[in-house]
Amino acid sequence: MALFKRKTQIDDDLGFGNQPVTANQRLMNADGSSNIKRIGLPLFRTADTYNWLISMSWKKFLLIILVVYLLVNMLFALIYVGIGIEHLQGATGITPRDHFFDAFFFSAQTISTVGYGHISPDGFMTSCVAAFESMLGLLAFALATGLLYGRFSRPNAKVIYSEKMVIAPYKEGKGLMFRLANLRNNQLIEIEVQVVFSYNETVNGKVSRRFYPLELERSKIGLLTLSWTVVHPIDEHSPIFQKTAQDLADAEVEILVLLKAFDDTFSQTVHTRTSYRDEDILQDAKFSNIFSKDSTGRTNIDLSRIGATESSGSGDAVKDA
């Protein structure tokens, strides 16, 4: 027997299929990525290299660039030492360690085409290696420049969401709410949000995953200047009407949030996603006020408190858009 009832089910299941969730695993991670582990793929996939380098974090990207740079120079340093340190004119090192560092810094000068002139190649083999390294350096730095440009120019939305959803007073009843805001100083216009309710359902002894759209108080706004509290009214048409926290946990409920907006800076449409599990829903709570006025009367918004909540008393929960 179905625990949740809705008139309209999404025909497109968002690509997650109808396999039931087990062990309370997410369909979508909080950062918007799919919680899917892909197996059976080849170890080296050059087709994904560009996407991997573009989408990874800046810390990891810069670390990879540094490690590759050091490894390449160490490799060429070993080659120069193997050919013979005497073929590097100007190398004044005495110990093997000094010889290695002379060759290493010569390699760093060659690969970047700086060439200070203190050390120069002498001999056919050493000159060939230096010429090849110089060509490799030109190609590598051109590639690194392209990756840097791609990372800086790639449009993406920096939207932050409240860590929790709340069930707060709304009009004559209650509403399921979450809050979001734009982290950047740019303008997001024509913002549209879709909230999808997902749960395990047992029908005729078979468990499958169901997806239903939640009706929102407002699904579109023209401009996101402050914050926006997205509200799903909990009425008799809502799938969570009169449902307890245990009911949501038993069905392993997950609420998917898909946001689309037009970035005025890049003049492109950007997307962002997140999800909330049943344990992320706070009962009888509301979002705290995050607005204040300075001495000039200008409105301040404290984005560090985007997820701040408090116990809901009488009256409506704070709503801002």
Side-chain angles (χ1 to χ4, degrees):
M1 181 178 179
L3 178 63
F4 303 94
K5 295 182 179 180
R6 284 282 299 176
K7 293 181 179 180
T8 305
Q9 179 180 346
I10 295 181
D11 293 331
D12 180 5
D13 61 8
L14 305 179
F16 291 107
N18 59 0
Q19 293 293 323
V21 167
T22 58
N24 204 24
Q25 285 288 329
R26 286 180 179 268
L27 292 171
M28 182 185 295
N29 296 315
D31 62 0
S33 60
S34 299
N35 189 24
I36 304 295
K37 181 180 179 181
R38 300 187 178 191
I39 61 176
L41 296 174
L43 182 60
F44 298 103
R45 293 173 291 149
T46 56
D48 288 342
T49 303
Y50 178 77
N51 179 71
W52 179 62
L53 291 171
I54 286 292
S55 59
M56 70 172 52
S57 67
W58 274 104
K59 288 183 179 180
K60 184 181 293 187
F61 176 77
L62 294 176
L63 179 62
I64 288 176
I65 293 295
L66 177 61
V67 169
V68 171
Y69 177 78
L70 293 175
L71 288 178
V72 169
N73 281 297
M74 289 173 63
L75 174 62
F76 277 100
L78 292 174
I79 294 176
Y80 290 128
V81 172
I83 294 175
I85 197 66
E86 65 275 8
H87 294 289
L88 291 180
Q89 292 187 358
T92 58
I94 300 174
T95 66
R97 176 186 174 186
D98 294 336
H99 293 162
F100 174 80
F101 280 110
D102 283 341
F104 178 85
F105 290 117
F106 170 72
S107 172
Q109 297 167 21
T110 302
I111 200 170
S112 61
T113 66
V114 172
Y116 289 116
H118 174 64
I119 302 177
S120 59
D122 181 26
F124 180 76
M125 286 298 298
T126 307
S127 297
C128 287
V129 174
F132 175 75
E133 184 181 8
S134 178
M135 181 189 69
L136 182 65
L138 290 173
L139 296 176
F141 280 100
L143 179 61
T145 302
L147 288 173
L148 283 172
Y149 174 78
R151 291 180 64 88
F152 275 109
S153 62
R154 183 171 64 100
N156 52 36
K158 289 296 182 181
V159 174
I160 54 172
Y161 298 88
S162 57
E163 294 182 358
K164 303 290 185 179
M165 280 185 155
V166 299
I167 295 180
Y170 171 74
K171 294 184 178 179
E172 301 300 323
K174 293 185 176 182
L176 178 68
M177 309 178 187
F178 66 93
R179 188 158 61 181
L180 60 91
N182 184 17
L183 268 180
R184 289 177 173 160
N185 290 322
N186 64 332
Q187 294 294 327
L188 295 180
I189 60 178
E190 298 179 2
I191 303 95
E192 181 178 354
V193 65
Q194 180 184 11
V195 181
V196 179
F197 182 80
S198 174
Y199 65 96
N200 287 345
E201 182 180 47
T202 303
V203 180
N204 298 326
K206 182 180 180 181
V207 182
S208 59
R209 197 71 179 173
R210 301 299 187 203
F211 299 85
Y212 292 108
L214 293 183
E215 296 180 3
L216 303 177
E217 170 209 36
R218 189 187 319 166
S219 61
K220 298 179 181 179
I221 59 174
L223 187 65
L224 183 60
T225 54
L226 299 175
S227 66
W228 180 16
T229 301
V230 181
V231 181
H232 162 64
I234 302 177
D235 53 24
E236 60 273 12
H237 301 294
S238 172
I240 61 175
F241 182 65
Q242 295 182 340
K243 296 299 185 296
T244 65
Q246 188 60 47
D247 291 333
L248 301 180
D250 291 341
E252 301 196 59
V253 164
E254 183 174 353
I255 299 175
L256 311 177
V257 177
L258 298 90
L259 183 141
K260 177 175 68 174
F262 186 81
D263 191 319
D264 191 45
T265 301
F266 293 98
S267 295
Q268 292 189 33
T269 300
V270 292
H271 300 263
T272 180
R273 299 167 298 277
T274 191
S275 74
Y276 298 91
R277 294 188 293 185
D278 57 272
E279 60 191 39
D280 298 324
I281 301 175
L282 301 180
Q283 301 280 344
D284 299 321
K286 67 178 182 180
F287 289 114
S288 303
N289 184 25
I290 57 175
F291 297 104
S292 61
K293 297 284 187 179
D294 60 19
S295 58
T296 65
R298 189 177 184 181
T299 300
N300 296 327
I301 176 172
D302 187 355
L303 294 179
S304 66
R305 302 182 67 247
I306 190 70
T309 61
E310 59 189 58
S311 176
S312 62
S314 60
D316 289 345
V318 176
K319 292 186 294 177
D320 27 83

